[in-house]
Amino acid sequence: MFASEVLDDVNEPHEVTDWDEALCRDASGAMTLLFFSDEIRDIRQAKLVCLGCRLIDPCLAGALERREPAGVWGGELFANGRILTQKRKRGRPPKHRPEESIQLTA
Ligand code: SF4
């Protein structure tokens, strides 16, 4: 690559994402605990924070591209590089499902 090509690339307008505007970015680290928690309530809270964040789209796209191994990114929960649509509670699943969770089909 010639120097002129490098300069052309540098002078191209690039979309700038200011991660300082991320709502999860705090100095205390409290958000880190929330966004990487195993507790369903915390995960729900983290997703709600993301919904108010203007960086949700680039954040989700980046997490998908990096195949994030864990945590809430861009309003989604990640596990092993994929979006988890449901998070089970900790521990063993019950042997018998509670009555109210059994759905009848017509
Ligand atoms: S979308 Fe969520 S995880 Fe991504 S920067 Fe915003 S608050 Fe943080």
Side-chain angles (χ1 to χ4, degrees):
M1 180 180 265
F2 295 105
S4 61
E5 290 172 318
V6 172
L7 286 176
D8 285 346
D9 189 46
V10 167
N11 291 329
E12 281 290 312
H14 293 282
E15 190 174 314
V16 176
T17 305
D18 187 358
W19 293 104
D20 285 338
E21 295 181 20
L23 293 182
C24 59
R25 191 173 186 150
D26 67 343
S28 71
M31 288 291 203
T32 304
L33 295 176
L34 192 68
F35 279 70
F36 290 91
S37 171
D38 283 334
E39 298 295 329
I40 291 174
R41 194 177 58 177
D42 293 342
I43 292 165
R44 196 176 298 135
Q45 273 297 119
K47 286 181 173 183
L48 283 174
V49 172
C50 291
L51 287 179
C53 181
R54 64 178 221 85
L55 301 174
I56 191 168
D57 291 338
C59 180
L60 179 59
L64 286 168
E65 190 179 313
R66 293 188 305 274
R67 300 179 51 83
E68 282 293 341
V72 173
W73 299 87
E76 299 288 351
L77 176 64
F78 279 76
N80 302 318
R82 294 179 173 197
I83 293 174
L84 267 190
T85 54
Q86 261 186 328
K87 170 82 176 155
R88 280 193 1 212
K89 288 183 181 175
R90 277 185 176 182
R92 237 177 244 255
K95 283 187 178 176
H96 304 289
R97 287 194 297 174
E99 285 288 324
E100 67 271 9
S101 70
I102 300 173
Q103 294 181 356
L104 300 175
T105 54

